[in-house]
Amino acid sequence: MKIEDYKNTLSIHRVPIASLRSEFDSSHFPFETTADLEKLANEMIGQRRAERAMEFGLSVEQDDYNLFVVGPSGTGRKTYTLDSVKKIAKKREVPNDWCYVFNFDNPDRPFVLTLPAGSGQQFQRKIETLLIDIEREFRSTFSSEEYEKRKQGIIDEFRDQTEDLWEAAEDFANEHSFNLERTPTGLNSYPLYNGKPLERKKFEQLSDEVKERIAASEKLVDGKIRETLHQIRKLEEQLEKNLEQFMRESAATSIESLFQPLREAYKDYPKILDYLEAYFHDVVVHFSLFLASEEDDQNNIMSALIGSKEQHFHRYTVNLLVNHKSQKGAPVIYETNPTYNNLFGKIEYRGSLGSWVTDFSYIKPGALQLANGGYLILQATELLEQPYVWSLLKRALQTGTAQIENLFEDRGMVPTSGIKPEPIPLNIKIIIIGSYYLYDLLSAVDDDFHKLFKVKVEFDTVMDRNQENCYKMAMFVKNYAEQEGLLPFHRSAVAKIVDYSSRLVEEQSKLSTRFHEITKLLVESSYWAKKEEAAVVDSSHIEQAISEQINRTNHASEQIREMIQKGSIMVDTEGFRVGQINGLAVLGTRDSVFGIPTKITAQTFAGKSGIMNIDREASLSGQIHNKGLMILTGFLSGEFAKNRPIPLSASITFEQTYSTIDGDSASSTELYVLLSSLAEVPINQGIAVTGSVNQWGEIQPIGGVNEKIEGFFHICRERGLTGGQGVIIPKQNVANLMLDQEVIDAVNLGEFHIWAISHIAEGIELLTGVEAGNIRDESGQYRAGSIFARVEDRFNMMYEAAKANNQ
């Protein structure tokens, strides 16, 4: 190729200066500083799809329309979700309060009661007051004169009946010549003879007939006594029943007036009426506990076993589980630590006689109960890290109930006394925030996921770079600056922020929606502006902040460049070499991504083994890179083996690489070096190459184009720019260029160049200065002296040599 033709080729493919970076014109902003702007309303910038999905998901009332907010961190998904949920929650009604009360029929199964918002606390206080009033009424009733009089009447009646029985027994005994004597120590009976007590001495002197008669009478009298005692015991039992019934009736009568207002107040709540009725009967049955003094309670041995009076009175209290008295609108709970207890609630215990016991008053709510009737927001990562929680959350949504239970009760070292509270009906909307990976994982492994989370709210990482979004970006800058106490930003600074946002997504027509990267730049640029005692942040402060950020994280890239300068890593940036080329790779650390040149070499020789990828043989090549090598074989075979096989053996490798190589961005580079080796045409070492290739030789776009260009530029600049150095990129990647100003300045001065191509033939001409000649003439031949003609000649020689060897 003639020099003039080569220069023309260079000029044709050279990327214009204007295309190396898209710079926003700050004059398009209708403000001087962000202080002149109005605040940004509660909306996301460039997330129209997510906004519509969020609005639908939060507004639809049907079951199982829970939301999964998906997107990368830093896109504002959490902030927007919280703001959106709170906004719609304010328009909804406040949900009911929930209470747990004692189940008088089955203490291990506490009842749940629901009341309108704010009424739960009133109900709790009414029950507390009721308990105090009951005790007061009982003490008043059972110490009254009328009560004592009626009680004494029952006792006197018993005594009269008892006395009648004794008199009848005495009369019976007298009829049989016996006398009955009642003493404090018991009952004595003795025979009478001639109306006088018969002494033992005189009894011995009686005839046997009289003795027998006395014995018979004694037997009859003893039977009468037993009969009388039996009747008296029955009277005593009846007395106890009568007294108990009387006291209970007295108790019931005394407190009836206390319950009646409550029955009237809660007549529309059947479950509360049932509870009050059970409460009433239990209090009447256990009225004696209300009459016992604290001293009696302390001296009572049984209190240690069955619980004190105070502990017993727990059953007459109300456990107000969820209180919405101060709530405005529906509740919104963002649970940052969704452990089982934090999410589903728990049952606490107290120690008693070497074991753990509990009751309904020890039931504590979780986020699920507190957010019932509203919205619960969870982070997917934290949720899935907790054992059993995901499965139990699904069960709650599927059953529509929230069950509070001790999940690990049977695993305790100390015996426990457990309860199983009645489940609470669930009316809640769950919003989970997570990554694309977790969303795809749950979709793949959990059949219930899409049934329960029917609304996907997807946050994108990019948005269009139009006037509207750029203006909203400025409003975001204002909001954040005022929120964090930063200086106002000049419109020139905002323009630089817009450019920086495009650089983050590597596309001139797009902006990044990962605003946490923007906020870091805002904070640091404001810091440098304050340090200079400037009134506003201008473009120079933005540039300084970017420079400082790079300087803090480029230690690894500087080390690699230093090794290249010292020759430890061998990279040529001048001269021509056959079978050697500079490819471009992107490396990354935790907080930095940078490009470096890598020497790629190839050797070609006669044989049948094909292209050997040395890195693959050494297990240092990834699957995508292996695919790229196979594409090279396809291109060469399709181009040069239409009529006969290619007797080719070749080896190709990335020199001085000791870690896994993957990706196909160097496949075009590997094809160039193979063509150079086959055609024995040297490649300009001052030009680095990136881009993938297909089997037709068409160049395809790659990622990290800015970092790759800048990485090679820094190496060339440190060695001294010659004016002939540059980088070849795919034409499609021109839209991704957002290069640093120092690169653009060098290009503008002609010290460095960026070329964009669409086919392998264009690239090989730029690299070698030799015509590619990839178009065959009418006779099917390539143009003599061209790269493709030389390659075909080399293949012909190999083929003939192979034939000769086979003969």
Side-chain angles (χ1 to χ4, degrees):
M1 182 183 294
K2 296 180 180 179
I3 295 178
E4 292 79 7
D5 293 335
Y6 181 60
K7 288 182 177 180
N8 186 48
T9 299
L10 293 175
S11 177
I12 290 172
H13 296 291
R14 185 175 290 114
V15 179
I17 298 292
S19 299
L20 299 180
R21 181 183 182 87
S22 176
E23 294 192 343
F24 187 83
D25 187 353
S26 62
S27 64
H28 292 164
F29 284 134
F31 59 87
E32 188 68 20
T33 70
T34 54
D36 304 328
L37 280 170
E38 59 184 7
K39 282 193 173 183
L40 181 66
N42 179 29
E43 63 173 298
M44 288 299 294
I45 305 175
Q47 299 286 4
R48 192 64 55 84
R49 180 190 294 106
E51 287 178 330
R52 290 177 62 86
M54 181 72 75
E55 180 183 2
F56 166 75
L58 294 179
S59 300
V60 67
E61 298 290 340
Q62 279 68 28
D63 294 338
D64 298 335
Y65 277 82
N66 300 294
L67 294 79
F68 196 104
V69 181
V70 61
S73 176
T75 54
R77 56 185 185 174
K78 185 191 80 173
T79 302
Y80 181 70
T81 298
L82 284 168
D83 290 344
S84 299
V85 173
K86 289 177 181 178
K87 183 178 179 181
I88 198 168
K90 289 179 180 178
K91 302 176 183 178
R92 293 190 57 186
E93 294 182 358
V94 181
N96 287 353
D97 293 344
W98 293 93
C99 309
Y100 271 111
V101 294
F102 188 76
N103 184 342
F104 296 99
D105 294 328
N106 190 348
D108 292 338
R109 299 289 187 269
F111 281 136
V112 66
L113 302 177
T114 182
L115 289 157
S119 301
Q121 191 176 67
Q122 295 177 9
F123 180 69
Q124 183 187 45
R125 289 175 178 173
K126 286 180 179 179
I127 297 300
E128 290 175 355
T129 303
L130 175 65
L131 185 62
I132 296 171
D133 291 343
I134 288 172
E135 185 171 10
R136 185 184 65 248
E137 286 294 329
F138 279 170
R139 291 189 181 278
S140 174
T141 298
F142 288 100
S143 63
S144 68
E145 190 174 317
E146 181 182 356
Y147 167 78
E148 291 295 337
K149 183 178 179 181
R150 293 182 60 189
K151 180 180 178 182
Q152 190 61 45
I154 296 173
I155 296 173
D156 289 344
E157 183 180 356
F158 163 75
R159 287 176 178 173
D160 290 343
Q161 292 175 342
T162 303
E163 193 62 32
D164 291 342
L165 289 173
W166 280 123
E167 288 179 358
E170 289 174 351
D171 292 343
F172 182 83
N174 290 333
E175 291 174 0
H176 292 81
S177 299
F178 266 79
N179 189 44
L180 295 180
E181 187 178 84
R182 287 176 285 169
T183 67
T185 59
L187 184 65
N188 295 325
S189 65
Y190 50 88
L192 298 174
Y193 191 75
N194 295 327
K196 295 180 180 181
L198 181 62
E199 296 179 358
R200 185 72 182 173
K201 188 176 181 180
K202 290 183 177 182
F203 178 79
E204 295 295 337
Q205 298 174 356
L206 296 175
S207 65
D208 292 337
E209 182 181 352
V210 175
K211 287 179 181 179
E212 289 177 2
R213 190 171 62 249
I214 291 173
S217 296
E218 183 179 17
K219 186 175 182 181
L220 291 174
V221 170
D222 288 342
K224 183 62 175 178
I225 290 173
R226 286 194 298 272
E227 180 185 351
T228 301
L229 290 174
H230 175 69
Q231 290 175 337
I232 290 173
R233 280 196 296 272
K234 290 178 67 176
L235 286 175
E236 287 176 346
E237 292 175 0
Q238 187 62 43
L239 173 63
E240 290 180 2
K241 290 181 181 179
N242 291 344
L243 285 174
E244 183 71 20
Q245 182 178 357
F246 164 69
M247 287 188 284
R248 288 186 179 181
E249 288 176 354
S250 300
T253 303
S254 66
I255 63 174
E256 177 65 30
S257 60
L258 300 178
F259 279 83
Q260 194 55 37
L262 292 174
R263 295 189 184 106
E264 288 293 329
Y266 299 104
K267 61 183 180 181
D268 296 328
Y269 300 91
K271 203 169 183 180
I272 295 180
L273 292 179
D274 292 341
Y275 167 69
L276 291 174
E277 194 65 25
Y279 188 119
F280 177 85
H281 288 294
D282 192 79
V283 167
V284 169
V285 170
H286 296 95
F287 69 90
S288 59
L289 287 173
F290 292 84
L291 304 177
S293 64
E294 293 183 7
E295 186 175 331
D296 294 336
D297 192 44
Q298 293 173 358
N299 295 332
N300 188 358
I301 298 176
M302 289 302 294
S303 67
L305 300 174
I306 64 174
S308 66
K309 172 182 174 181
E310 182 181 354
Q311 291 170 353
H312 182 84
F313 279 5
H314 268 307
R315 67 169 63 192
Y316 304 123
T317 60
V318 173
N319 179 1
L320 182 55
L321 193 76
V322 179
N323 180 16
H324 289 305
K325 181 181 179 182
S326 303
Q327 181 71 38
K328 305 294 183 183
V332 177
I333 303 294
Y334 175 41
E335 180 53 65
T336 58
N337 184 25
T339 61
Y340 174 78
N341 288 337
N342 287 349
L343 198 57
F344 296 95
K346 63 180 178 178
I347 302 172
E348 295 179 343
Y349 292 82
R350 59 179 173 84
S352 177
L353 300 177
S355 65
W356 294 103
V357 298
T358 188
D359 58 47
F360 75 98
S361 64
Y362 288 89
I363 301 172
K364 304 300 178 184
L368 210 59
Q369 291 81 21
L370 295 173
N372 196 15
Y375 304 88
L376 176 60
I377 304 172
L378 304 167
Q379 288 284 353
T381 303
E382 286 77 7
L383 179 68
L384 297 175
E385 284 176 350
Q386 303 297 331
Y388 309 110
V389 169
W390 172 249
S391 297
L392 293 173
L393 179 62
K394 288 196 306 175
R395 184 181 71 181
L397 293 175
Q398 288 167 339
T399 60
T401 59
Q403 176 70 62
I404 302 176
E405 56 188 337
N406 185 354
L407 196 62
F408 309 105
E409 186 176 71
D410 57 342
R411 303 184 186 180
M413 297 294 292
V414 180
T416 59
S417 171
I419 58 175
K420 188 172 184 180
E422 181 183 3
I424 295 177
L426 202 57
N427 176 26
I428 194 170
K429 195 171 286 288
I430 306 291
I431 302 99
I432 295 180
I433 303 173
S435 63
Y436 289 107
Y437 169 75
L438 291 179
Y439 181 86
D440 294 339
L441 178 65
L442 289 171
S443 299
V445 303
D446 194 330
D447 293 336
D448 299 322
F449 176 64
H450 284 296
K451 296 177 184 177
L452 299 173
F453 291 85
K454 295 181 178 178
V455 181
K456 178 184 180 184
V457 182
E458 185 172 0
F459 279 71
D460 203 351
T461 57
V462 298
M463 59 183 173
D464 291 335
R465 178 170 166 166
N466 51 38
Q467 190 67 28
E468 178 186 358
N469 285 339
C470 290
Y471 187 75
K472 286 182 178 179
M473 179 75 77
M475 296 172 71
F476 168 80
V477 172
K478 173 192 173 64
N479 280 18
Y480 190 81
E482 292 185 354
Q483 175 185 328
E484 299 297 325
L486 308 180
L487 292 175
F489 285 73
H490 192 268
R491 61 183 182 183
S492 62
V494 179
K496 288 290 183 183
I497 293 169
V498 170
D499 295 341
Y500 177 75
S501 181
S502 293
R503 168 64 186 247
L504 290 176
V505 297
E506 291 194 334
E507 192 162 353
Q508 296 178 0
S509 62
K510 300 290 183 180
L511 295 173
S512 173
T513 60
R514 304 187 71 170
F515 290 99
H516 75 291
E517 296 290 345
I518 305 296
T519 58
K520 290 196 298 184
L521 184 62
L522 298 181
V523 171
E524 185 160 354
S525 59
S526 178
Y527 166 80
W528 295 116
K530 288 179 179 178
K531 195 169 184 178
E532 291 182 4
E533 298 183 353
V536 297
V537 179
D538 61 25
S539 59
S540 64
H541 300 128
I542 299 293
E543 292 172 352
Q544 184 178 4
I546 294 173
S547 176
E548 291 290 340
Q549 286 182 359
I550 294 173
N551 187 55
R552 288 196 299 270
T553 59
N554 67 349
H555 179 66
S557 62
E558 284 186 350
Q559 283 186 317
I560 293 175
R561 292 207 300 266
E562 183 178 351
M563 294 172 70
I564 292 174
Q565 293 303 322
K566 290 180 178 179
S568 299
I569 298 177
M570 300 171 64
V571 174
D572 296 331
T573 55
E574 294 183 62
F576 288 80
R577 292 285 299 272
V578 174
Q580 178 176 305
I581 194 171
N582 287 323
L584 295 173
V586 173
L587 299 182
T589 62
R590 292 182 179 88
D591 51 10
S592 175
V593 177
F594 55 91
I596 60 165
T598 301
K599 181 189 293 185
I600 301 174
T601 59
Q603 292 279 15
T604 55
F605 38 89
K608 298 181 180 180
S609 60
I611 301 174
M612 180 183 68
N613 178 6
I614 294 176
D615 299 296
R616 180 177 61 192
E617 298 300 319
S619 299
L620 291 176
S621 178
Q623 294 179 347
I624 299 177
H625 183 241
N626 293 337
K627 175 185 175 182
L629 264 296
M630 294 176 186
I631 289 174
L632 303 190
T633 302
F635 172 79
L636 293 175
S637 298
E639 193 71 35
F640 300 104
K642 293 185 182 296
N643 300 316
R644 46 134 178 88
I646 297 178
L648 171 67
S649 289
S651 63
I652 190 167
T653 187
F654 283 66
E655 302 287 357
Q656 292 184 285
T657 56
Y658 308 102
S659 58
T660 301
I661 301 167
D662 205 359
D664 63 350
S665 64
S667 57
S668 67
T669 313
E670 292 166 321
L671 182 53
Y672 292 136
V673 76
L674 280 173
L675 292 175
S676 168
S677 178
L678 288 167
E680 297 182 340
V681 175
I683 287 176
N684 186 349
Q685 300 301 296
I687 301 177
V689 182
T690 185
S692 69
V693 67
N694 61 24
Q695 293 189 103
W696 304 106
E698 297 168 335
I699 303 299
Q700 301 170 143
I702 43 80
V705 64
N706 293 294
E707 289 80 5
K708 291 175 178 179
I709 293 172
E710 290 164 0
F712 189 66
F713 169 78
H714 290 311
I715 298 298
C716 295
R717 184 189 60 184
E718 290 168 4
R719 288 184 171 180
L721 295 171
T722 64
Q725 296 155 327
V727 175
I728 298 174
I729 65 172
K731 183 173 289 185
Q732 301 94 320
N733 282 123
V734 173
N736 305 117
L737 294 177
M738 288 294 295
L739 294 170
D740 287 343
Q741 190 59 45
E742 57 183 350
V743 179
I744 296 174
D745 292 341
V747 172
N748 196 30
L749 294 172
E751 298 174 343
F752 197 76
H753 308 278
I754 313 294
W755 296 282
I757 60 171
S758 58
H759 195 273
I760 200 76
E762 299 168 356
I764 197 67
E765 289 182 352
L766 294 173
L767 288 166
T768 62
V770 178
E771 180 185 4
N774 59 308
I775 306 299
R776 296 179 184 270
D777 58 20
E778 294 179 356
S779 61
Q781 301 297 316
Y782 293 116
R783 184 185 297 273
S786 67
I787 296 291
F788 277 60
R790 297 184 187 190
V791 170
E792 187 160 62
D793 291 343
R794 179 78 183 277
F795 280 142
N796 289 335
M797 292 173 57
M798 291 179 177
Y799 181 72
E800 294 300 327
K803 281 179 62 177
N805 290 332
N806 289 334
Q807 292 175 356

